[in-house]
Amino acid sequence: MSWQWFHRLGSPRWFYQSSARWLPWLSLATAVVLLSGLIWGLAIAPEDAKQGNSFRIIYIHVPASFLALAGYYIMATAGAVGLIWKMKLSYMVMKSAAPIGAALTFIALFTGAIWGKPTWGTYWVWDARITSMLILLFLYLGVMALQYAYHSADVASKAGAILGLVGTVNIPIIYKSVDWWYTLHQPATIKFTSAPSMHPDMFQPLLVMIIGFYLFYAVALILHTRSEILRRERKTSWVRDLLNTKKQAKADKQAGES
Amino acid sequence: MSQSSLIKVENLAFERDDSCLFDNINLAVDSGDILQIEGANGSGKTTLLRILTTALQPSAGKILYKGCTVTDCRYQYLSDMLYIGHQPAVKQTLTAEENLRWMVSNSAKSNQLAINDALAGVGLSGYSDVPCYALSAGQHRRVALARLLISEAKLWYLDEPFTAIDKQGVSYLEARLQEHADRGGAVVLTSHQDLALNNLRKYSLSAPAGQIA
Amino acid sequence: MAHSINSGFSAWLRRDLLLAYRRRGEAASPLVFFVMVSTLIPLGLTPESARLAEVAAGMIWVMALLATLLSVEGLFASDYQDGSLEQLLITPQLLPMPLLGKITAHWLTTGLPLTLVSPLLGVMLSLPAAGYLPMLCSLALGTACLSLTGAVGAALTVSLRKGGLLLSLLVMPLYMPVLIFGTATVNFAVDGLNWLPPLAILGALFAASVALCPLAAAGALRLTSAN
């Protein structure tokens, strides 16, 4: 009996219907946090002594990097839950998490490159973090490509979940080896400004932005999962009913207007 | 133990991507039975057979071997079972004899004499040294079917065993199936042919049921 | 039971070796690729031996990686097509052991020959003398890791018609630690440093791969070959 909540949680229909109730509130909270963090970070926080205004890109770059890595683990965990408990919803979450994570990874790389130009005088350096981030992007692309390659959604989900788990085992190894590789070749001139040396006035808005990005990630994941639910469950009666009511409402509205 | 059938299938279902291929399949196979699974193309005959061999996992239901679920007594079940699929699993670059020796390497009777006899039995006596890429589709199938002459497996699962086999071959194979059943073995096969066998039972798979609600 | 577990390993190992022997020409192609690409490097980069020596270790390793990647697609492909893979899935033995046998056969027919001809490439790319022994050791261990990891990718893509390119995409990121430590082993030796630590890490990667990859590949095969 105590497992009932668990199975209900695994029901795509339940998720779709209940998420509709609290998604607006979550979106509102996300907008508030992100906007206030952006204004605080971009307009109010003090200028950096060395880098001037160009440092402000960290308010996008750092949260995106955080979520890029966390997103992979969220995706892999969802896949593992799907494999272990045969939960369909979990696979849908996994599939939705892949493009979002890949996009965040790309944003992290892209903002890093923009930041690199004024800071190091070049768009690209083979720094340990950048290289790891690039490999992470490849890992995401692999999971996405594998999912798209299969016609059967069931097989695609399971194959993606296994690849996600293999990636999870490998990510710490990859990160550690890239770190080690970088120390071998590290040129003395290039160094990151590390977080602890940041002034609290700069650091607090960053914290807000990180929270904002987590919220944004949640909203994006839920939205994407909801559309994935509709796509995969399109043959079921509840989705058909849902579509019919929507169509009916639209027709009524048009009839009322004319 | 004595009560339970050799194979008992309970409420077996298979669905993929929310469309149900079949569900609620219940059947039992006892020693001496020959069960022919019939059905239109796409009704899931091969899928059912592959589920029975454990190559594929069912969506629901269970398969009991001598009263024990096949996941629990997997080793025993798979050791007592022989499956010849749609593709004969014959390696092109190996000779007929090498292929057969490999296929039966788990069997106790896999000596040279038995292999020669089996190849002769399926009409390939002159071909034992010929690489299989030089053989026809029907001859490939005969190489795979030669396993039946050596194997000591109790349960045979045969997917369309008569495909590409000539008339003589068909009647030889029928006789072999009958012999196996008479000695207490069991056969589950898919075929569109009408077979002249005693103890033959048929199980029909209906056309795909369509979507689930 | 112990006997039967082992027999699954050695039976599939012997079988795949025999099959590779019958298709010697095909089996040799990664090796030919390995040697031929090394001709491209002086043409594309420089014929100067001093500059070649600098990049030799990395280049040999990258080429070995690509050669393995090309060959690993064939690990399950023909077995899938002719129905042997179906038979493999229903052997009474536990699936990872026959798979380990197949992977070992793959390494014996690609990784080991690559390792053995690598000194030839070392000469062609003017690798300093101190690098040869570390190169042999690191390639022998490293290509085994590549075969093992590649098997997981091959299992995930076996039922796809154009799985080869996708396989490279899946597996390449996973190959990077092996490349890093493999190259480092040779470069450490060339620079006169102790090259055993990076080699030891390669050994650790190999041990982890032996333990995990056959399991992951077995799980993947059960899912994907059902397609």
Side-chain angles (χ1 to χ4, degrees), chain B residues 81-101:
Chain B
M81 181 199 83
L82 180 152
Y83 169 64
I84 299 178
H86 215 72
Q87 295 144 315
V90 168
K91 282 285 166 199
Q92 301 284 341
T93 47
L94 300 186
T95 66
E97 189 191 318
E98 283 166 337
N99 263 306
L100 186 59
R101 182 174 305 125

Side-chain angles (χ1 to χ4, degrees), chain C residues 126-185:
Chain C
S126 5
L127 181 76
Y132 283 85
L133 180 64
M135 180 174 68
L136 285 169
C137 296
S138 68
L139 275 176
L141 262 180
T143 49
C145 296
L146 300 182
S147 290
L148 284 158
T149 316
V152 181
L156 281 170
T157 53
V158 66
S159 62
L160 296 169
R161 237 173 246 132
K162 286 181 183 166
L165 207 60
L166 180 63
L167 169 64
S168 331
L169 197 67
L170 303 187
V171 169
M172 201 112 66
L174 308 178
Y175 276 3
M176 290 183 188
V178 178
L179 176 68
I180 288 173
F181 290 107
T183 318
T185 306

Side-chain angles (χ1 to χ4, degrees), chain A residues 8 10-11 18 26 49 66 73 81 97 99-100 109 113 122 125 132 138 149 168 178 182-183 189 206 214 218 246 254:
Chain A
R8 206 173 55 174
S11 147
S18 67
L26 189 64
F66 266 49
Y73 284 108
V81 170
I100 301 172
L109 280 171
T122 169
V125 285
S132 306
F138 293 155
T168 308
V178 170
Y182 186 64
T183 56
T189 46
L206 182 61
Y214 266 98
K246 290 248 161 117
Q254 278 171 349

Side-chain angles (χ1 to χ4, degrees), chain A:
Chain A
M1 282 305 270
S2 62
W3 283 84
Q4 211 167 14
W5 65 270
F6 191 74
H7 287 295
R8 206 173 55 174
L9 199 66
S11 147
R13 182 184 179 179
W14 176 85
F15 179 84
Y16 187 87
Q17 286 164 350
S18 67
S19 66
R21 281 195 293 276
W22 43 266
L23 188 61
W25 299 104
L26 189 64
S27 313
L28 190 70
T30 308
V32 169
V33 175
L34 268 185
L35 265 180
S36 49
L38 269 180
I39 294 169
W40 192 358
L42 296 189
I44 303 170
E47 232 178 70
D48 185 76
K50 276 188 239 155
Q51 300 183 26
N53 275 323
S54 73
F55 96 96
R56 291 186 198 275
I57 203 162
I58 64 161
Y59 295 116
I60 306 291
H61 176 76
V62 172
S65 319
F66 266 49
L67 259 296
L69 186 58
Y72 195 92
Y73 284 108
I74 292 170
M75 179 185 78
T77 310
V81 170
L83 278 182
I84 297 166
W85 286 292
K86 300 195 163 92
M87 203 191 252
K88 276 184 194 165
L89 176 63
S90 186
Y91 284 134
M92 297 179 194
V93 171
M94 176 190 72
K95 194 184 175 195
S96 310
I100 301 172
L104 284 165
T105 314
F106 181 75
I107 289 173
L109 280 171
F110 189 72
T111 51
I114 295 175
W115 189 20
K117 185 66 181 170
T119 317
W120 304 324
T122 169
Y123 286 113
W124 188 265
V125 285
W126 288 98
D127 161 79
R129 283 188 233 190
I130 298 177
T131 311
S132 306
M133 199 51 87
L134 184 65
I135 299 176
L136 183 65
L137 181 64
F138 293 155
L139 286 172
Y140 271 121
L141 292 181
V143 173
M144 284 165 70
L146 186 64
Q147 298 222 18
Y148 291 129
Y150 280 103
H151 292 300
S152 158
D154 283 350
V155 179
S157 305
K158 288 175 189 163
I162 290 188
L163 184 63
L165 286 178
V166 172
T168 308
V169 175
N170 271 278
I171 281 180
I173 300 174
I174 293 174
Y175 270 57
K176 282 286 163 208
S177 28
V178 170
D179 270 350
W180 182 80
W181 159 82
Y182 186 64
T183 56
L184 292 182
H185 303 276
Q186 193 169 30
T189 46
I190 297 165
K191 263 187 187 150
F192 256 94
T193 42
S194 49
S197 67
M198 260 176 104
H199 194 271
D201 286 348
M202 292 174 176
F203 189 66
Q204 282 153 4
L206 182 61
L207 217 56
V208 176
M209 281 306 282
I210 290 173
I211 296 167
F213 260 70
Y214 266 98
L215 287 170
F216 170 77
Y217 181 87
V219 172
L221 186 61
I222 291 167
L223 277 174
H224 209 302
T225 306
R226 279 167 63 86
S227 72
E228 186 65 23
I229 288 173
L230 289 186
R231 206 178 63 76
R232 285 208 201 171
E233 305 258 288
R234 63 189 180 277
K235 287 174 184 164
T236 61
S237 55
W238 74 268
V239 175
R240 282 188 183 159
D241 289 348
L242 189 80
L243 287 178
N244 286 335
T245 22
K246 290 248 161 117
K247 270 184 201 158
Q248 194 60 46
K250 209 174 169 186
D252 287 349
K253 204 177 161 195
Q254 278 171 349
E257 279 168 358
S258 64

Side-chain angles (χ1 to χ4, degrees), chain B residues 29-37 174-182 185-189 195-203:
Chain B
V29 180
D30 290 305
S31 294
D33 275 354
I34 299 177
L35 182 69
Q36 181 178 8
I37 300 170
E174 278 179 335
R176 185 71 195 109
L177 297 184
Q178 189 65 65
E179 198 186 321
H180 180 63
D182 292 345
V187 183
V188 179
L189 74 156
L195 302 174
L197 297 169
N198 304 327
N199 305 347
L200 182 70
R201 293 195 296 120
K202 292 191 176 182
Y203 185 89

Side-chain angles (χ1 to χ4, degrees), chain B residues 138 141-142 145 161-170 173 193:
Chain B
R141 192 150 279 276
R142 281 166 181 264
L145 289 171
F162 301 105
T163 312
I165 298 277
D166 57 28
K167 255 184 198 163
Q168 265 183 315
V170 170
L173 185 56
Q193 296 209 354

